[in-house]
Amino acid sequence: MSPRPKNIRKVNNMPSVAGFKPIASNICRKDAIFLHFEEYEAIRLCDYEMKTQQEASVSMGVSRPTLSRIYTSARQKIAQALVRGVAIMIEGGVAYTDSEWFHCGVCGFVFNNIKPALKIRKMECPVCHSNDISISNININKNEIMISVMLAGNMGQGALNVLTTHHIKVIRGCSGNILDVATDYLNGKLTDSGVGCSSHEHHHECHEHNHKE
């Protein structure tokens, strides 16, 4: 079965802080719980503004079941951070804001200022750092972006076959920060590992399907 396309979730109000840290805690960043922007937005809409999940799903541009999954994930992460006494960092995920979209004329990367409150001193591509940037008028969830390459952790053979049929090149074995991964790809440092998910039945221990996007 081919993977369902994941719509990018709209975040209307970005968090005012980058995260939270327990009192008298010296826990380093790598031990933190990472709350994605769309998870923060689900909590803000449902628990702060007291909207119904249906209302929140409309605000974020996703289906109600998708909103429910995002909301549940967010609450579980917050609970883990409270019980384990670790910091919460708010970053990453599959989200966009109302700020403008930009297109890099050198590497073709399309990006959105996910933190529009921050003043950008120099507009440059976050991947190749080129300043050949133009405003891109796109609808991110209406298939207006052509995908030719997918950088993935691991992937089942069925999904790989579907993507290959649609002329999408797949590079497996990727991990880490998405911008670092994209930069390594553009610099020719990544090659397909050739390793797929051979077993999806044993509690699916292939954790790289949803690394940061």
Side-chain angles (χ1 to χ4, degrees):
M1 181 180 294
S2 62
R4 295 181 60 186
K6 181 180 289 186
N7 280 357
I8 300 183
R9 295 77 186 255
K10 183 176 182 180
V11 175
N12 296 284
N13 290 78
M14 295 302 295
S16 57
V17 296
F20 298 88
K21 185 178 181 181
I23 296 175
S25 172
N26 59 357
I27 297 175
C28 62
R29 176 185 170 90
K30 69 178 182 180
D31 295 320
I33 297 292
F34 287 87
L35 192 70
H36 293 165
F37 285 123
E38 64 265 27
E39 293 171 332
Y40 163 85
E41 180 73 350
I43 291 292
R44 186 187 71 82
L45 292 171
C46 294
D47 291 343
Y48 180 74
E49 293 195 353
M50 301 301 292
K51 292 182 180 296
T52 65
Q53 289 195 9
Q54 179 60 37
E55 292 171 332
S57 68
V58 172
S59 177
M60 293 180 63
V62 298
S63 67
R64 197 210 59 76
T66 295
L67 184 280
S68 180
R69 289 193 294 271
I70 296 171
Y71 178 67
T72 298
S73 173
R75 290 176 67 98
Q76 289 176 338
K77 288 183 177 180
I78 292 172
Q80 290 174 10
L82 290 176
V83 173
R84 292 167 50 192
V86 298
I88 298 175
M89 301 300 298
I90 309 174
E91 63 178 54
V94 187
Y96 71 101
T97 70
D98 276 331
S99 65
E100 294 174 313
W101 285 85
F102 303 95
H103 177 264
C104 176
V106 175
C107 70
F109 191 66
V110 178
F111 61 98
N112 175 245
N113 179 16
I114 195 63
K115 295 184 179 180
L118 298 179
K119 294 182 179 180
I120 302 178
R121 296 181 179 179
K122 180 181 178 182
M123 178 57 68
E124 64 177 26
C125 175
V127 173
C128 71
H129 304 292
S130 165
N131 58 7
D132 182 10
I133 304 298
S134 60
I135 295 177
S136 181
N137 296 317
I138 65 171
N139 186 326
I140 195 64
N141 285 326
K142 295 301 182 182
N143 300 319
E144 293 185 15
I145 297 179
M146 298 301 296
I147 299 174
S148 59
V149 178
M150 176 173 286
L151 307 177
N154 288 313
M155 180 177 294
Q157 188 61 45
L160 179 63
N161 292 341
V162 171
L163 293 170
T164 303
T165 300
H166 288 82
H167 308 292
I168 296 176
K169 181 180 180 181
V170 178
I171 305 295
R172 292 166 292 180
C174 303
S175 64
N177 181 278
I178 186 60
L179 292 182
D180 293 339
V181 173
T183 299
D184 286 344
Y185 171 74
L186 291 174
N187 290 333
K189 297 180 180 180
L190 294 182
T191 57
D192 181 29
S193 68
V195 178
C197 297
S198 59
S199 175
H200 281 72
E201 299 176 356
H202 300 287
H203 304 291
H204 201 287
E205 296 184 1
C206 175
H207 299 300
E208 293 299 331
H209 275 298
N210 294 314
H211 68 273
K212 284 186 183 178
E213 296 176 272

